[in-house]
Structures are given as C-alpha cells and as structure tokens.
Amino acid sequence: MASLPAASCEASSGQCAQEPQDTKPLKACCACPETKKVRDACIIEKGEEGCRDLIEAHKECMRALGFKI
C-alpha cells in the first residue's frame, strides 16, 4: 500500500479529508477521485468493455500513488 499523505473516508458521504502526513497511509478508496468518478460513471452507462481507456487511466493514477494494481 502507498505511504503517501493519508486520507480518511466517511462511508456515508464518500468524502475524503486530508490528514497530516504523520498518520495513516492513503486508502485506496480515496486515491484518484477524479479518475475514479468518470470511470465509474462510464462503467454504469456503457459497461467495462466500453470504458477500457478510463479504467486504464485510473489504474495508472493508482500505480503512480504506489498502489500495486
């Protein structure tokens, strides 16, 4: 898992709040929200086959943050 600035996610709202770097590592649920949002919307509308480029863009963003995907 990544050891970058931490974020906490509130399950009810899906919002992430940045915490000081001295705390927990970044959670996958909070990483790359901009690519995750468009990827998820595309998958709902078109299915995975129609969104391969957005799926790959999200994976690249996650890898850049240190996640092993």
Side-chain angles (χ1 to χ4, degrees):
M1 193 174 324
S3 59
L4 298 173
S8 63
C9 294
E10 294 181 22
S12 60
S13 67
Q15 297 295 321
C16 299
Q18 288 289 11
E19 295 179 7
Q21 291 183 336
D22 298 335
T23 60
K24 299 175 187 174
L26 181 66
K27 294 180 182 180
C29 67
C30 297
C32 303
E34 59 284 339
T35 58
K36 182 178 182 178
K37 183 177 180 178
V38 293
R39 177 206 65 181
D40 291 350
C42 183
I43 291 172
I44 290 170
E45 292 177 21
K46 302 177 183 179
E48 287 185 36
E49 293 297 318
C51 303
R52 293 210 180 269
D53 56 333
L54 296 174
I55 293 169
E56 197 55 41
H58 183 63
K59 286 181 180 179
E60 288 178 26
C61 180
M62 297 287 286
R63 287 183 193 119
L65 292 177
F67 290 95
K68 296 180 181 180
I69 296 189

